[in-house]
Amino acid sequence: MPTIKSSTDLRNNYNEISTFCHTYREPVFITKNGQGDLAVMSVETYEQLAGRLELYGLLQEGLDDVAAGRTRPLNEAMTDLLDKYRV
């Protein structure tokens, strides 16, 4: 169940909302005049979410490449990686 607070609650109880976001690692939805307005979350939660979205995008690129036939043998790819990162 999402946590919903008013903009007045955010103004008057900022520390409580901040503690909630850090403790439970989930957003608090803020309403303004009874309508949804903002989603507030900790920086850590935001960074985790942004990283997950980036990963999903990269995975989709890989799936698109496979679907389009843009693949190559594993041993060839591994050889290229080893050559590139060999110290």
Side-chain angles (χ1 to χ4, degrees):
M1 175 66 65
T3 301
I4 302 170
K5 301 283 185 178
S6 70
S7 57
T8 302
D9 286 335
L10 178 63
R11 184 176 55 246
N12 294 335
N13 302 306
Y14 174 85
N15 288 334
E16 175 186 314
I17 292 171
S18 175
T19 299
F20 176 89
C21 290
H22 286 280
T23 301
Y24 295 102
R25 300 187 139 229
E26 58 183 62
V28 173
F29 298 94
I30 306 297
T31 62
K32 183 177 179 181
N33 298 323
Q35 301 293 317
D37 187 48
L38 300 170
V40 178
M41 65 183 77
S42 69
V43 170
E44 296 85 3
T45 300
Y46 172 79
E47 288 173 346
Q48 183 180 42
L49 177 62
R52 190 175 298 151
L53 290 173
E54 182 180 356
L55 176 60
Y56 291 159
L58 293 171
L59 290 170
Q60 187 60 56
E61 283 181 34
L63 291 172
D64 292 345
D65 284 343
V66 169
R70 294 186 296 266
T71 63
R72 60 188 179 144
L74 176 62
N75 62 340
E76 181 183 317
M78 290 303 295
T79 298
D80 288 350
L81 285 171
L82 289 171
D83 289 344
K84 183 175 182 179
Y85 294 104
R86 189 168 286 139
V87 178

